């Protein structure tokens, strides 16, 4: 229980920092809004197209806003070596990792909720809100996958002199299965396509379990000095 | 030096095997009825892909050994094999493209296998981008080992996901499955030759990595 | 035989790729070996 206790403490610390205006969440939301506007210019999002384009647009927005947010939070840990006080505290690397995964997950979910709302308003597509209960498993599993890989990789990139700029290059190829799963399952549900989303939910679940296990094993090598 | 001798032996082995392989591919293997001579790219393409896979497996194993033993020699092995794998993966993509143009009438198709190789290619490019940005020798080894492991375990998941994704979309006509016995034997020889080439290139690069390491150490010594 | 170009192209690219890679690495190897022997000689002079 002590293990989860330290993880929760880290989660609380991140929420407090966010409330005190570390601005990573507001930046994410701002980017989401901006991307949605850009997509409106880039694609023909008329009434008849929006349903088939929705899952693609949304997951691209989730992906990029997510990269921005996760890159920032780990950069904040590296600045002034704030994370070292956690490394030297009795909390283990594993609970530190879980805490960071949870806080990233929380911020990602908040960003996604707002993005869905923006989308429903800007693209005149209320259906996406009413279908949220069906979409939820896919969204949550996908977001968890983002957070699991993103937390690990954003700490990797902080050591590089390229910093956060490097994050998308490492992160995007690895989360391809999640993006594929997220886009496809959402598309199947929104457009009532044949095939069923179940298979995709399975792939994302396998991905999450795999990366949870491996990241737990590897995270200690990233933060130990 | 033991490595030097192995490299020489492999080099002479390749000197015999490579021309023989080309002879078998172009002269002995029968021309495929539907695809014609272009089908001979197949022997090269598949062999390169197997070589890349062998190299990335070596990266994976060496990365684990590095994190376990903390000996920089394993990092040299991991990065050397990742480089060999990356070279081969690049060639796989190019030869695949040159095959797809006459057969499928496109330069690129979102075939699950091609897609898997492309994503792998991105992952290992990322591996070297990460290495390039870290000055500290030990940290560089440690962090890239994490990518070497994470990237490799992603392969089956990517493979499975892309396969399922494709099965929803219309499938492009696949190449006919049956290879005749002569073709099979040529394929087998070609595979063996390219696996030897993979090991040769790896050892060659590995030796370079080791000697670079020694130079860095000596440099430090003279500066002190 | 109309697609001969693609076949030759594929084998040429692969051959050139591997040869170039070997050439670059062999050159590096040689340069480093020379520098190593220089430094070792220097260390010997110093004693």
């Amino acid at each position: 229980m002590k293990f989860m206790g330290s993880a929760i403490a880290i989660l609380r610390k991140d929420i407090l920092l966010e409330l005190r205006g570390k601005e990573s969440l507001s930046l994410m939301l701002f980017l989401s809004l901006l991307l949605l506007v850009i997509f409106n210019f880039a694609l023909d999002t008329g009434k008849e197209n929006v349903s088939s384009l929705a899952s693609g647009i949304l997951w691209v927005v989730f992906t990029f806003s997510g990269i921005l947010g996760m890159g920032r939070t780990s950069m904040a840990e590296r600045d002034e070596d704030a994370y070292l006080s956690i490394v030297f505290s009795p909390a283990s690397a594993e609970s530190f990792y879980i805490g960071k995964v949870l806080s990233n997950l929380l911020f990602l979910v908040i960003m996604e909720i707002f993005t869905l709302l923006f989308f429903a308003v800007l693209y005149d597509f209320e259906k996406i809100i009413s279908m949220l209960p069906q979409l939820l498993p896919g969204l949550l599993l996908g977001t968890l996958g983002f957070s699991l890989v993103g937390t690990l990789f954003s700490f990797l990139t902080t050591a590089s002199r390229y910093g956060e700029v490097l994050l998308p290059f490492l992160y995007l190829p690895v989360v391809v299965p999640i993006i594929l799963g997220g886009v496809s399952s959402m598309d199947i549900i929104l457009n009532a396509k044949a095939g069923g989303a179940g298979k995709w939910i399975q792939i994302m679940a396998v991905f999450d379990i795999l990366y949870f296990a491996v990241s737990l094993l590897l995270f200690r090598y990233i933060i130990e000095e | 030096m033991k490595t030097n001798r192995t490299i020489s032996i492999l080099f002479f082995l390749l000197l015999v095997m490579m021309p023989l392989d080309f002879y078998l591919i172009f002269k002995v293997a029968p021309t495929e009825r539907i695809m014609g001579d272009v089908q001979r790219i197949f022997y090269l393409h598949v062999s390169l892909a197997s070589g890349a896979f062998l190299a990335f497996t070596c990266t994976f194993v060496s990365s684990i050994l590095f994190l376990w033993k903390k000996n920089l020699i394993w990092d040299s092995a991991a990065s050397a094999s990742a480089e060999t794998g990356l070279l081969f993966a690049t060639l796989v993509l190019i030869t695949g493209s040159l095959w797809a143009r006459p057969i499928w009438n496109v330069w690129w198709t979102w075939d699950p296998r091609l897609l898997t190789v492309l994503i792998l290619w991105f992952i290992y490019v990322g591996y070297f981008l990460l290495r390039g940005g870290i000055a500290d020798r030990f940290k560089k080894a440690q962090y890239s080992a994490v990518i070497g492991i994470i990237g490799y375990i992603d392969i089956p998941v990517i493979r499975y996901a892309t396969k399922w994704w494709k099965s929803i979309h219309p499938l492009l006509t696949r190449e006919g499955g049956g290879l005749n016995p002569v073709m099979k034997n040529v394929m087998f020889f070609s595979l063996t030759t390219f696996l030897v080439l993979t090991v040769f290139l790896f050892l060659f690069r590995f030796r370079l990595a080791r000697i670079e390491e020694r130079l860095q150490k000596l440099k430090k010594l003279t500066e002190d | 035989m109309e697609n001969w170009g693609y076949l030759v192209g594929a084998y040429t690219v692969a051959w050139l790729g591997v040869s170039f890679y070997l050439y670059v690495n062999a050159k590096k190897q040689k340069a480093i070996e020379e520098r190593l022997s220089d430094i070792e000689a220097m260390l010997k002079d110093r004693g």
Side-chain angles (χ1 to χ4, degrees), chain B residues 51-66:
Chain B
F53 190 70
L54 176 71
F56 290 143
T57 308
C58 176
T59 307
F60 176 64
V61 175
S62 311
S63 297
I64 292 175
L65 284 170
F66 172 75

Side-chain angles (χ1 to χ4, degrees), chain A residues 13-30:
Chain A
K13 179 214 74 167
D14 279 356
I15 295 171
L16 272 175
L17 276 180
E18 194 57 46
L19 289 176
R20 284 190 200 146
K22 274 281 179 181
E23 288 147 6
S24 89
L25 189 58
S26 48
L27 274 180
M28 277 159 91
L29 295 183
F30 194 62

Side-chain angles (χ1 to χ4, degrees), chain B residues 22 25-26 37-38 40-41 44 83 94 98 101-102 201 204-205 207-208 211-212 214 218-219 222, chain C residues 1 3 6-7 9-11 13-14 18 21-22 25-26 29 32-33 35-36 39-40 42-43 46:
Chain B
F22 284 158
I25 290 170
F26 286 99
D37 276 315
V38 188
R40 293 179 206 277
I41 292 180
L44 173 70
E83 208 175 291
I94 295 172
L98 285 167
R101 185 70 187 83
L201 286 176
F204 203 81
R205 185 64 186 82
R207 187 177 63 174
L208 179 60
I211 203 174
E212 267 173 343
R214 238 181 82 203
L218 271 180
K219 260 187 182 166
T222 49
Chain C
M1 214 44 103
N3 292 321
Y6 295 106
L7 179 60
Y11 278 88
V13 167
V18 172
Y21 181 72
L22 269 176
N25 280 339
Q29 176 93 21
I32 290 178
E33 271 168 3
R35 289 216 41 196
L36 265 180
I39 292 178
E40 268 160 7
M42 202 180 79
L43 283 175
R46 272 205 229 157

